[in-house]
Amino acid sequence: MDIIVQKFGGTSVTTKERRKLVVEKIKHSLNNNLIPVVVVSAMGRKGDPYATDTLLSMINEGFKTNNPKAMDFLMSCGEMISTVVLCNDLYDAGIRAMPLTGGQAGIITDAKFNNASVKEVNTSMLMELISQGIVPVVSGFQGATEKGEITTLGRGGSDTTASILGVALKAKEIDIFTDVDGIMTADPRIVQEAEVISKMNYLEVFQYADQGAKVIHPRAVDIAKKGSIPLKIKNTFNESDGTIIDSTDEESKKIIAGITYTQDRIQVVIKKANNEGNPMYKNLLNLLAKENISIDLINVFPEEKIFTISSKDKDSLCRVLGMEGIKYSLVEGCSNVALIGTGMRGIPGVMASIVEALNEEEIEILQSADSFMTIWCLVKTENVKRAINILHKKFM
Ligand code: ADP
Ligand code: MG
């Protein structure tokens, strides 16, 4: 019999009614001769009683910075509560299930608290439960060091848990259940007409997620790809087919599969004329790399260098450039729109259509770039939602 990993996100487990639908999804697997291994997130979002952000608001910043181990201890609680509550719902439905911490499920990580990497997975406990006909319900987002200390896996950690277990158990597929019908052509909260994409390949989804589409974490996509396990994104609340992700390309490919964005970007402009005689001007990019300041949309011209940074790196950037006496200017409040799709390869005029569409609506493009499956346009954040809607209408 095949194993199927079923991961349920925070909004899927908040209420008894919603969890009834989760139980149905698990029951459906059992009825179809599949062995479910369940992964759950903490219940709800910030403000909800056991959501991770709510737990974190109970301790102060100084303590957090100086006690990463204790912070992981607290951050792991939300998922553990969900596992037990869901096991209770499964019990009520006559299904035997066992709640497990990440560590008990055999997820061994390094000791990089708050953002640990998985070193190995020991599946013996999971296999033992499975052999007894018990459904393992694993707390997402967490693991344990070899010494047994609780660690957490960083942002999107429950998606990562699902992929890690799917690969370790050689599952038939990994299902990520959430509150939308699948991966869509844009965030449905921004574009009303956004549609579900029935099939995508790992690379496209990785890039889409990495550039801001929050429906799945890019690391989870990368892990599933390496293990060649198909991923599906599905809605907990209905029966729609969702999005299938594997390594194959769809036959009738659209030029652009989806549009997403990252916000809180700052454009940095450094002109040669303002830095004559400063030897550091030449080594600028190296200097920033050494300070761990990640830069994007890098355009190097004879007379100037232009790139973007995340607003969280602004203070470090200003400090470093200030120390070296480099003169620069910043354009704050930018967002980077990304149009993704392997279908754009070798098709001429895509960028021209984008520029035309945004120009027509008087949205200024501050900067642009392209690669084999992505076109980026930097715009002011106040224009980003309009820009995405215009481009969506144009290409979808
Ligand atoms: P979960 O708690 O289930 O992990 P997330 O909030 O992480 O759910 O992911 C689901 C949300 O991702 C949706 O509610 C949707 O608003 C958002 N989202 C952003 N971009 C997209 C996209 N391109 N397709 C689908 N959903 C998207
Ligand atoms: Mg998520």
Side-chain angles (χ1 to χ4, degrees), residues 7 9-10 41 45 156-159 176-178 214-217:
K7 179 253 166 176
S41 298
R45 299 275 151 80
S158 291
D159 294 339
I176 306 286
F177 285 94
T178 182
K214 291 201 179 75
V215 61
I216 184 168
H217 196 272

Side-chain angles (χ1 to χ4, degrees), residues 79-108:
E79 275 73 13
M80 291 195 238
I81 295 169
S82 308
T83 55
V84 183
V85 174
L86 182 60
C87 283
N88 172 75
D89 293 310
L90 288 164
Y91 176 89
D92 288 345
I95 298 169
R96 288 199 299 158
M98 179 68 78
L100 299 172
T101 64
Q104 287 170 335
I107 298 174
I108 310 296

Side-chain angles (χ1 to χ4, degrees), residues 203-334:
L203 278 180
E204 279 177 320
V205 180
F206 179 88
Q207 183 73 348
Y208 201 25
D210 192 48
Q211 294 301 315
K214 291 201 179 75
V215 61
I216 184 168
H217 196 272
R219 188 166 48 171
V221 181
D222 191 44
I223 295 165
K225 174 177 182 285
K226 286 190 179 125
S228 295
I229 313 285
L231 266 171
K232 283 187 189 166
I233 314 289
K234 292 184 179 182
N235 196 330
T236 305
F237 309 119
N238 63 38
E239 302 299 317
S240 59
D241 292 337
T243 303
I244 301 175
I245 306 157
D246 60 24
S247 57
T248 57
D249 266 335
E250 204 184 9
E251 305 256 311
S252 61
K253 245 192 169 329
K254 284 191 189 160
I255 296 177
I256 308 260
I259 307 175
T260 184
Y261 74 109
T262 42
Q263 54 185 5
D264 297 325
R265 308 300 301 170
I266 298 178
Q267 187 186 45
V268 186
V269 181
I270 307 182
K271 293 194 185 291
K272 191 173 168 194
N274 295 339
N275 291 286
E276 290 299 357
N278 188 335
M280 284 319 283
Y281 179 78
K282 258 201 328 225
N283 285 325
L284 207 60
L285 302 187
N286 267 331
L287 185 70
L288 300 177
K290 255 191 232 138
E291 292 289 322
N292 263 329
I293 298 172
S294 158
I295 62 178
D296 268 314
L297 291 185
I298 307 159
N299 292 150
V300 177
F301 303 105
E303 297 307 323
E304 62 186 352
K305 291 173 180 159
I306 307 180
F307 53 86
T308 64
I309 59 163
S310 159
S311 60
K312 73 174 170 37
D313 286 332
K314 181 187 163 190
D315 290 347
S316 321
L317 178 102
C318 295
R319 183 177 42 78
V320 175
L321 296 184
M323 247 161 34
E324 300 297 342
I326 295 208
K327 305 254 178 350
Y328 58 93
S329 60
L330 302 180
V331 182
E332 297 191 53
C334 300

